[in-house]
């Protein structure tokens, strides 16, 4: 044995112990007063060690919890001596007896806090270098260190909980889908490009010089082919790879709950997703009520200014009709454009100065786009506008989230309280009706302000705080997305989704597909939770002629379409049934359920914002030999 495997204590040198035939009887989170007096064997890591001379306490930890172990010199001199040598993160085995803790010595914060184990024997199974941070700590500030020493970070109780939750959630989803008759089928990692809108990760072929596989951005084409093959209901908890500029909530590889069905209506898919989400949330202790709210894209924009509405706050309200032509004239408001308002509840009464500061903050943020904030409080002080202020407030107070059943604590139902902040946005004279071809831009701009103020006053209104109940989770289905988006850079229409999404049948029949692309609706839908998109899907194109037309309408020549998707266009010609599906981000669902702030908290070995794995140190250059085998040469290094 190498000298490093010896541990020094009390000027003696002891070797580490072997496990031998010892078996653990309980996990470190299992023991309760019911086991008082029982002989047990525990194994785990030393979470903390407290030396009180003749008594040493070791908190022994495994993934289920922590048990306090007492090493009493009078019980075993030898075990006590070993405990003197033990340090944080040493791996130990303890043979001993469960003892109920004395009155007043219980620890109500620990599940095992009513007992301790009095050790007769202690085995030091392995030592540990002093770790760069202690897994016993709750919060470790430096995330880079956490990621570099991920194996230590993952030992932390919070992380162990997150991954236990992840496993439970994934299993609940799997079980639900299998019960519903879905088959889990794997699709390849080494394939060709899938058009999900990101860059591909490529794998060079050794055998075929100059050719590359692409890692799938999603199993999209394969799952559609599985429908053509007659599998009827497919799902997969699938890894996807997208090389895109990483934001805080993105990872280059992530996991989707991916599914596809034959002959579905949109509602068929909604019910399946609601079913598996209910199962997943149940696994996290939360009962959901279904069906979820459903709204069209146009209504989402009209009411929330965004296609992923956060319904925890009151919606936007149209005040367009309240601002009559005369009022618009005297207030210098553009005659034909919408006037929008919303309430941020419970902000508290603002002083005159605070209100003015907020108004100017809003105006500054709008810049010269033409939008302006209307100071409702000031209107009230002017006799000719006071009735308008009153009408506006009344209309804004209609939001059902402001007046829950039974009335509100701080005011009569249907009226704003003095602590609610009413925000009204008007277009100044000369404000453009469209911005970048977008007639909905005013709604989007005001919607963004709503979210911004919602964040700013989050502590005040408290609606983002978790209560641990269903009320924390506001789900919505958003449907009827536009099929195309205008791309100002290339001055062309581009697919808003992947190009296999079916347009509305009516919009194909009426010729809009060719004549009025901006008005074509897609049979595409998103599922949204608290303002985050959890997943998206669509009814697919199942006819070769329509698919070819869509490729064409996206500016792809028939030859290009054949070159990229020829196999798929071919497959469509052999009796493709109508089909549709969806994919939801598993990482994000678990993140929300864990109450975590980043996907990195629920992905065991995540990458940094620069797409680096700090633990294994990837990516790295490879040897000349490997490059040669792959027929590659590096032109420049970063
Ligand atoms: N393939 C799509 C995505 O990854 C989901 C779907 O349309 O089913 O976003």
């Amino acid at each position: 044995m190498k000298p490093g495997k010896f541990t020094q204590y009390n000027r003696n040198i002891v070797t580490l112990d072997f496990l031998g035939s010892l078996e653990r009887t309980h996990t470190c989170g299992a023991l309760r007063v019911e086991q008082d007096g029982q002989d047990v064997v525990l194994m785990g890591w030393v979470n903390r060690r407290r030396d009180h001379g003749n008594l040493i306490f070791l908190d022994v930890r495994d993934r289920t919890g922590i048990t306090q172990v007492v090493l009493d010199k009078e019980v075993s001199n030898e075990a006590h001596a070993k405990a003197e040598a033990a340090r944080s993160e040493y791996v130990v085995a303890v043979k001993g007896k469960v003892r109920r803790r004395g009155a007043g010595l219980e620890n109500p914060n620990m599940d095992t806090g009513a007992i301790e184990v009095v050790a007769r024997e202690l085995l030091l199974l392995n030592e540990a270098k002093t770790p760069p941070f202690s897994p016993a700590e709750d919060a470790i500030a430096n995330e880079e260190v956490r990621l570099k020493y991920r194996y230590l970070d993952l030992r932390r109780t919070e992380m162990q909980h997150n991954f236990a939750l992840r496993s439970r959630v994934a299993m609940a989803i799997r079980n639900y889908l299998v019960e519903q008759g879905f088959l889990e089928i794997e699709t390849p990692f080494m394939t060709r490009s899938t058009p999900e809108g990101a860059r591909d990760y490529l794998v060079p072929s050794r055998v075929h010089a100059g050719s590359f596989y692409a890692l799938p951005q999603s199993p999209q084409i394969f799952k559609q082919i599985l429908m053509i093959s007659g599998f009827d209901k497919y799902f997969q908890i699938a890894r996807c790879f997208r090389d895109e500029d990483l934001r805080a909530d993105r990872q280059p590889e992530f996991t989707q709950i991916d599914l596809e069905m034959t002959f579905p209506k949109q509602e068929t898919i909604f019910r399946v997703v609601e079913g598996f989400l209910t199962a997943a949330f149940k696994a996290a202790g939360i009962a959901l009520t279904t069906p979820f709210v459903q709204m069209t894209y146009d209504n989402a924009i009209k009411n929330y200014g965004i296609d992923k509405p956060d319904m925890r706050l009151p919606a936007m309200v149209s005040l367009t009709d309240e601002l009559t032509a005369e009022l618009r004239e005297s207030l210098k408001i553009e005659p034909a454009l919408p006037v929008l308002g919303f309430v941020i509840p419970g902000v508290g009464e603002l002083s005159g100065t605070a209100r003015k500061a907020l108004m100017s903050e809003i105006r500054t943020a709008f810049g010269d786009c033409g939008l302006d904030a209307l100071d409702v409080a000031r209107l009230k002080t002017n006799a000719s506008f006071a009735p308008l202020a009153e009408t506006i407030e009344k209309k804004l107070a209609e939001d059902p989230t402001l007046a829950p059943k039974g009335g509100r604590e701080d005011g009569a139902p249907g009226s704003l309280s003095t602590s609610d902040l009413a925000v009204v946005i008007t277009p100044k004279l000369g404000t453009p009706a469209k911005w970048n071809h977008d007639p909905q831009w005013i709604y989007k701009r005001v919607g963004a302000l709503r979210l911004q103020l919602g964040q700013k006053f989050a502590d005040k209104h408290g609606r983002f705080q978790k209560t641990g109940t269903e009320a924390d989770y506001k789900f919505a289905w958003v449907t009827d997305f536009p099929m195309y988006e205008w791309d100002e850079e290339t001055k062309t229409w581009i697919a808003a989704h992947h190009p296999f999404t079916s347009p509305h049948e009516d919009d194909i029949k009426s010729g809009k597909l060719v004549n009025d692309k901006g008005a074509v609706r897609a049979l595409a839908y998103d599922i949204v939770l608290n303002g985050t998109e959890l997943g998206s899907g669509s009814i697919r194109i199942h006819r070769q002629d329509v698919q070819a037309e869509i490729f064409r309408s996206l500016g792809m020549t028939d030859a290009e379409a054949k070159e990229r998707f020829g196999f798929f266009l071919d497959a469509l010609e052999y009796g493709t049934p109508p089909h549709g599906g969806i994919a939801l981000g598993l990482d994000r669902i678990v993140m929300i359920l864990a109450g975590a702030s980043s996907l990195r908290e629920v992905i065991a070995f995540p990458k940094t914002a620069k797409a680096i794995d700090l633990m294994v140190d990837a990516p790295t250059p490879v040897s000349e030999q490997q490059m040669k085998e792959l027929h590659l040469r590096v032109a420049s290094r970063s």
Side-chain angles (χ1 to χ4, degrees), residues 196 218 220 223 242 256 258 498 536-538 540 581-583:
E196 295 285 0
S218 82
Q220 185 64 31
K223 68 174 170 174
R242 297 185 190 175
Q256 278 188 350
D258 192 52
H498 52 67
S536 65
S538 57
R540 324 296 184 189
I582 193 164

Side-chain angles (χ1 to χ4, degrees), residues 442-460:
I442 294 181
Y443 293 91
K444 292 177 185 166
R445 202 73 189 246
V446 178
L449 176 69
R450 170 182 170 273
L451 289 179
Q452 197 187 317
L453 294 180
Q455 281 302 341
K456 182 181 168 99
F457 294 110
D459 289 347
K460 296 280 168 60

Side-chain angles (χ1 to χ4, degrees), residues 282-302:
K282 190 171 165 215
I286 289 152
L288 294 183
T289 309
T290 57
F292 300 152
V293 174
Q294 200 172 312
M295 69 182 90
T296 62
Y297 170 86
D298 281 347
N299 280 336
I301 300 291
K302 228 170 81 197

